[in-house]
Amino acid sequence: MLPAFVVITAAGAASGEWMWRVTSYRVDSERFHVHTGVVFRKRLALRRERIRSVDLTADPVLRVLGAVTMRVGTGEKAGAEGTVTLWPVRRASAEALRATLLAHAARPDADGGSLARFDRGWIRFAPLSFLTPALGAAAGGGTLQVAEWFGMQQRVFDVVGSWFGLAPVLLVALALAVALLLVGGVATVALWVETWWNHTLDRQADGTLQVRRGLLTTRSITLEESRLRGLEVVEPLAARLAGGARVDAVATGLTTDDEDKTESRTLLPTAPKELADQVAARVLREPTPPTSAPLTPHPEAARGRRLRWALGTVLVVEAVVLVLGALLAPVLLHVAWISALVLFPVAVALANDAYRALGHTLTGAYPAGYLVARSGTVRRATVALQRRGIVGWTVRQSWFQRRAGLVTVVATTAAGAGAYAVRDAAVADGLALADAAVPGLLRPFLIGADAEPEVTPLR
């Protein structure tokens, strides 16, 4: 093992030295130029005013060497021609280059300061994630797979069976599930600590927000404050039950890859909900957090839609299990009625919770105010979107919504997910909200400028 480790380390060092020698860059008044390669030369030139992010990452080896991997992006998807990666770069040089490339984002009235600091108490929210059962199941499956490779799978079953003796099957299954959840919880905590240890959120004097985090591999993410169009306070179900929430940025020009899409826009990991709202207010420079503003509730008909969806989903699942039980294994018939006793009450509870989450409001005066909308139960999200960042509206109304007098209005923006919905609002309330959020934008499409807003169904 040691010779292999030495060889791999030496190869990595040689690769880094080679990349350092064959890559050069320079910055002029208009562009950032990068030249790399020997046999196949590659030259890129990014216009400085289009540069949106400069992120620095350092794994343990680079940290020892005082170097970082530097990724410069224009807001396009990672891997596109608008993203340049320099590796390795001396940390001091990378920090200086980042300041130069983001100088165009500087605000004359900008002020620096700390917005959030890491608290070890946040670790308690780490196991309250879908990763806990996923990693637990992966650990169990991996153990069985390795045992099969060595022809020891039956021995594993025999050993586990000897632990429980003649205990009922359901009790054995429950014990194994709890054990896997514990393993998954430990793995999730370890992953969370590696990702978010020493987290800091700072406002820099050059008009940027900077997130630093990481235990072994450190990362520094920079976001131009001028590109911020709002925030989203996200409460996953398990974390919400424990009083936790995280804060995500709604911004234009974030360079993200598919595997790190969420973490790249997260300003605050899951922390107490009160702190999340306070951080949201600090980031948005508001005296009170828009994400905690009182919301207008939605009609009772919206509850009925959620109940029908939830109960319909359970009925479909139970019908499939019953059919399989009748055709293949009679034991599934017992599984069907036992699971129904659990799933139907859970579905009703989640549907009622989803209805209670619905709400919307407007804060402040256009263009400085916010559209605030909340929805979801498994993933409850409250978005505060700057009204000046809304560039269009999409009005959706299904046949069932028309019968119930409901409508979904979707605010279109160039930031974040690109669209944020106010779901199942009363028709008059939803259209009046859209018309008031950005005065004049929706008015030409409403029937009768002085009449109550209404929807014309498509034929």
Side-chain angles (χ1 to χ4, degrees):
M1 291 295 293
L2 183 59
F5 175 78
V6 172
V7 170
I8 293 174
T9 303
S15 176
E17 177 71 14
W18 174 256
M19 289 297 298
W20 181 77
R21 291 186 177 278
V22 301
T23 301
S24 62
Y25 61 85
R26 64 183 177 88
V27 181
D28 58 28
S29 59
E30 295 185 354
R31 290 179 172 82
F32 173 49
H33 301 267
V34 178
H35 298 175
T36 186
V38 175
V39 179
F40 298 99
R41 296 289 293 174
K42 185 176 182 179
R43 299 186 178 186
L44 293 175
L46 304 181
R47 295 189 66 87
R48 290 178 59 180
E49 69 269 16
R50 293 185 59 83
I51 293 176
R52 301 290 179 255
S53 62
V54 182
D55 299 341
L56 309 181
T57 305
D59 58 32
V61 175
L62 290 179
R63 291 178 64 182
V64 171
L65 299 176
V68 297
T69 297
M70 184 174 188
R71 189 171 67 176
V72 181
T74 59
E76 300 178 19
K77 187 175 180 179
E81 291 298 319
T83 302
V84 174
T85 300
L86 300 178
W87 169 81
V89 183
R90 291 290 183 186
R91 178 172 288 277
S93 300
E95 295 283 359
L97 181 57
R98 173 162 61 181
T100 300
L101 295 177
L102 294 178
H104 63 276
R107 296 171 40 171
D109 60 339
D111 54 345
S114 173
L115 302 179
R117 283 288 181 271
F118 178 79
D119 186 337
R120 295 184 181 183
W122 301 350
I123 298 177
R124 70 181 185 272
F125 296 108
L128 306 178
S129 166
F130 73 92
L131 281 177
T132 295
L135 293 178
T143 300
L144 293 178
Q145 183 63 58
V146 172
E148 183 179 5
W149 291 344
F150 292 95
M152 300 176 62
Q153 193 174 73
Q154 186 58 48
R155 184 176 178 183
V156 170
F157 287 131
D158 293 340
V159 170
V160 173
S162 67
W163 294 346
F164 297 97
L166 299 178
V169 175
L170 289 179
L171 180 61
V172 174
L174 180 62
L176 291 177
V178 171
L180 291 178
L181 284 176
L182 290 175
V183 172
V186 171
T188 303
V189 169
L191 183 62
W192 189 97
V193 169
E194 159 60 18
T195 302
W196 294 107
W197 190 259
N198 285 334
H199 165 274
T200 62
L201 172 61
D202 299 306
R203 175 178 284 119
Q204 303 296 320
D206 62 359
T208 62
L209 298 172
Q210 193 170 86
V211 177
R212 293 186 177 92
R213 57 179 173 81
L215 178 62
L216 300 178
T217 298
T218 61
R219 186 168 183 185
S220 175
I221 302 171
T222 303
L223 169 65
E224 294 180 31
E225 198 171 355
S226 61
R227 298 287 167 180
L228 197 65
R229 295 294 178 265
L231 293 175
E232 194 173 23
V233 175
V234 181
E235 304 170 77
L237 179 59
R240 174 160 56 90
L241 295 176
R246 74 170 190 267
V247 180
D248 291 349
V250 178
T252 62
L254 280 181
T255 302
T256 63
D257 53 43
D258 293 335
E259 296 180 356
D260 198 22
K261 187 181 296 185
T262 300
E263 292 178 357
S264 294
R265 66 172 182 262
T266 297
L267 301 180
L268 182 76
T270 304
K273 176 63 163 55
E274 296 78 8
L275 176 61
D277 285 329
Q278 293 171 11
V279 171
R282 296 170 195 165
V283 171
L284 297 175
R285 300 176 182 267
E286 295 290 334
T288 59
T291 51
S292 63
L295 302 180
T296 301
H298 290 196
E300 190 71 21
R303 184 201 302 269
R305 279 175 54 81
R306 277 144 187 79
L307 284 170
R308 286 190 291 273
W309 273 104
L311 295 177
T313 301
V314 175
L315 283 173
V316 170
V317 172
E318 294 297 334
V320 171
V321 176
L322 285 173
V323 170
L324 293 177
L327 297 177
L328 301 177
V331 70
L332 292 179
L333 298 176
H334 297 286
V335 173
W337 72 263
I338 293 174
S339 62
L341 293 177
V342 176
L343 293 180
F344 277 107
V346 170
V348 171
L350 290 178
N352 285 321
D353 183 66
Y355 169 71
R356 288 192 296 269
L358 291 175
H360 65 271
T361 191
L362 296 176
T363 67
Y366 182 82
Y370 294 87
L371 165 68
V372 182
R374 186 179 65 199
S375 63
T377 180
V378 176
R379 179 190 182 274
R380 177 175 294 181
T382 306
V383 63
L385 180 64
Q386 290 179 353
R387 293 161 70 176
R388 65 182 176 86
I390 299 174
V391 297
W393 290 97
T394 300
V395 180
R396 299 174 181 168
Q397 191 178 44
S398 68
W399 182 82
F400 297 102
Q401 285 179 309
R402 285 201 300 273
R403 287 179 57 86
L406 303 174
V407 69
T408 295
V409 291
V410 183
T412 304
T413 179
Y420 294 90
V422 179
R423 304 182 186 279
D424 288 338
V427 172
D429 290 346
L431 296 181
L433 172 77
D435 187 43
V438 186
L441 182 60
L442 189 64
R443 174 59 55 178
F445 301 95
L446 300 179
I447 297 178
D450 299 325
E452 180 179 328
E454 57 178 305
V455 172
T456 301
L458 297 176
R459 301 298 183 186

